[in-house]
């Protein structure tokens, strides 16, 4: 009996979506395949869910700088589950005129969640990654009905910097989320505050200057402190000479996506799960890998970052549990054979093996990937 090959790649960023990668690999293999595009909670998570059988729902929401934009989430009516990707509404790619570290908001992500809850979702999976904002999830909370008020009872403007003026959080108008399970799919373990927190680590990636980082750290500290006194989050922050993340603010993952992880924990009572592992379960990887002879995974660059919970490593770990060998395709790789084997990947095939020019690898990724897959098949699938 000829066994199938499970093709489960992430996107090649800037070149091909995960679904396109899977299709090109399958075309080059010329064997019986099952395609399962995957994602780790960042860019492409909604696309992967749609390719896995979810329906795309597109609505108009608020972008990170206040403009109205179309954004999507994935919906599965049978499971009554929504997959919301923060990057869809509040991602760096949504900034039309450059980065806005002090004023960018996660409001649009809250609008996506609100739409899913009103649609009747019993479970909302929130993928964090590629965020444009460092607002502690304040915008998301505002879109869900929370009021963030200053000393005079006025609503704060959106954006992280404005949180320095926060005096009270009014949850009386918050959307009814009783009976809804919230899961954050993220491999980021940073706390909200401090040298490993949202502002210090991720702020500069979003254009924050050293002074901006200080401003955002003070603002996020204020959010955590007010949440302690007005929202029952005991021990969220303590002050001696410097703020120290405690309780919810100190939880691993609270600093994800500019602090949206904190808001998900604090206001949605979410549970944080490892991104790729959880999403593989959601997409049915365990069932599809049964009876497979080989799993092919991959992403644009197999490098040191890949070893920190990225999709190919998660796929390799899940395949290992099923006793199925794994090989990878990629645009380029910097990991050694020994590093790959230690991560559960028998071999990796890079587009740069065929074409050393990186620009051509990007522009001609599809045809090159088919050729690469044919080479992979000759080495690993003889006799299929």
């Amino acid at each position: 009996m000829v066994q199938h090959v499970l093709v489960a790649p992430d996107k090649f960023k800037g070149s091909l979506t995960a679904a396109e990668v899977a299709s090109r690999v399958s075309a080059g293999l010329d064997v019986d395949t099952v395609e399962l595009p995957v994602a780790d909670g960042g860019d492409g998570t909604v696309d992967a869910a749609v390719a896995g059988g979810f329906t795309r729902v597109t609505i108009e929401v608020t972008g990170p700088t206040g403009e109205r934009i179309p954004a999507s989430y994935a919906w599965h009516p049978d499971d009554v589950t929504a997959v919301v990707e923060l990057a869809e509404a509040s991602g760096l790619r949504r900034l039309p005129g450059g980065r806005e570290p002090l004023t960018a908001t996660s409001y649009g992500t809250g609008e996506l969640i609100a739409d899913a809850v009103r649609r009747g979702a019993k479970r909302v999976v929130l993928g964090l990654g590629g965020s444009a904002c460092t607002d502690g999830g304040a915008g998301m909370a505002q879109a869900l009905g929370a009021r963030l008020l200053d000393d005079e009872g006025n609503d704060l403007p959106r954006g992280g910097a404005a949180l320095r003026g926060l005096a009270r959080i009014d949850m009386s108008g918050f959307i009814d989320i009783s009976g809804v399970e919230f899961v954050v799919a993220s491999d980021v373990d940073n706390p909200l505050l401090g040298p490993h927190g949202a502002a210090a680590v991720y702020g500069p990636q979003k254009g924050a200057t050293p002074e901006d980082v200080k401003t955002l750290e003070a603002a996020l500290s204020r959010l955590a402190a007010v949440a302690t006194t007005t929202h029952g989050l005991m021990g969220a922050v303590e002050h001696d000479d410097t703020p120290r993340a405690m309780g919810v603010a100190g939880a691993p993952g609270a600093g994800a996506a500019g602090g949206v992880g904190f808001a998900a924990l604090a206001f949605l009572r979410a549970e944080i799960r490892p991104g790729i592992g959880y999403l593989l379960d959601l997409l049915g990887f365990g069932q599809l890998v049964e009876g497979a002879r080989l799993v092919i995974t991959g992403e644009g660059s197999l490098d040191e970052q890949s070893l920190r919970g990225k999709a190919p490593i998660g796929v390799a770990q899940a395949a290992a549990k099923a006793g199925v060998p794994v090989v990878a395709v990629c645009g380029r790789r910097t990991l050694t054979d020994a590093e790959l084997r230690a991560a559960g990947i028998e071999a990796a095939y890079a587009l740069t093996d065929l074409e050393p020019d990186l620009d051509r690898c990007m522009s001609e990724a599809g045809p090159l990937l088919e050729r690469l897959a044919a080479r992979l098949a000759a080495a690993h699938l003889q006799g299929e």
Side-chain angles (χ1 to χ4, degrees):
M1 179 179 177
V2 176
Q3 296 171 297
H4 71 276
V5 173
L6 179 57
V7 185
D10 200 348
K11 64 189 175 298
F12 281 24
K13 192 169 185 177
S15 296
L16 301 170
T17 66
E20 290 169 338
V21 174
S23 177
R24 291 287 192 167
V25 169
S26 293
L29 292 176
D30 195 28
V31 299
D32 186 21
T33 63
V34 174
E35 298 175 16
L36 183 70
V38 301
D40 59 9
D43 292 336
T45 296
V46 167
D47 289 341
V50 170
F54 284 64
T55 299
R56 187 184 303 275
V57 177
T58 302
I59 63 172
E60 188 176 84
V61 301
T62 304
T65 56
E67 72 286 1
R68 300 296 287 176
I69 58 171
S72 302
Y73 64 91
W75 173 253
H76 201 300
D78 295 341
D79 295 335
V80 204
T81 295
V83 176
V84 176
E85 173 189 323
L86 178 135
E88 264 288 304
S90 312
L92 279 170
R93 63 187 178 87
R94 292 297 196 177
L95 291 179
R99 301 182 178 189
E100 301 287 346
L102 299 180
T103 57
T105 178
S106 57
Y107 196 92
T109 297
E111 291 176 302
L112 289 175
I113 293 171
D115 192 80
V117 170
R118 294 187 186 105
R119 186 176 288 267
K122 296 301 181 185
R123 175 171 53 177
V124 175
V125 180
L126 178 58
L128 302 184
S131 168
C133 50
T134 308
D135 71 345
M140 180 182 77
Q142 288 172 312
L144 292 169
R147 295 186 65 195
L148 277 60
L149 307 172
D150 63 18
D151 284 326
E152 298 179 355
N154 300 312
D155 290 281
L156 293 180
R158 297 169 195 167
L163 295 170
R164 290 175 298 172
L166 181 64
R168 187 166 61 89
I169 301 171
D170 179 358
M171 297 291 289
S172 61
F174 203 71
I175 190 170
D176 181 9
I177 57 171
S178 58
V180 184
E181 174 193 8
F182 289 90
V183 177
V184 171
S186 174
D187 291 287
V188 171
D189 60 3
N190 304 73
L192 180 66
L193 305 173
H196 303 293
V201 174
Y202 300 110
Q205 298 176 12
K206 303 168 189 179
T209 66
E211 282 303 311
D212 291 339
V213 169
K214 292 178 182 177
T215 296
L216 291 168
E217 179 74 8
L220 295 177
S221 297
R222 184 64 182 164
L223 173 64
V226 173
T228 300
T229 58
T230 69
H231 197 62
L233 303 178
M234 298 306 297
V237 66
E238 293 180 0
H239 287 273
D240 39 27
D241 291 329
T242 58
R244 293 179 295 157
M246 305 291 287
V248 174
V260 171
F262 170 79
L265 291 168
F267 305 123
L268 301 178
R269 298 294 191 257
E271 180 181 357
I272 295 182
R273 303 270 188 88
I276 181 60
Y278 183 81
L279 288 165
L280 286 177
D281 288 344
L282 190 69
L283 297 174
F285 180 90
Q287 291 74 42
L288 297 176
V289 77
E290 291 181 6
R293 176 184 176 181
L294 181 71
V295 172
I296 301 174
T297 189
E299 63 180 343
S301 180
L302 274 175
D303 53 30
E304 188 69 26
Q305 287 292 323
S306 302
L307 301 177
R308 300 175 183 173
K310 293 293 187 179
I313 307 305
V315 169
Q317 291 171 344
K321 293 178 181 177
V324 181
V326 178
V327 296
V329 293
C330 57
R332 66 183 184 95
R333 70 151 170 153
T334 61
L335 295 177
T336 66
D337 290 343
E339 288 173 322
L340 288 168
R341 286 193 296 270
I345 297 174
E346 291 189 355
Y349 295 80
L351 299 186
T352 52
D353 297 340
L354 302 176
E355 172 54 68
D357 186 291
L358 289 176
D359 289 336
R360 291 192 65 184
C361 282
M362 295 281 286
S363 62
E364 301 174 23
L368 286 171
L369 194 53
E370 290 190 28
R371 288 173 52 196
L372 198 68
R375 178 182 289 189
L376 183 157
H380 295 274
L381 298 171
Q382 294 293 344
E384 279 276 346

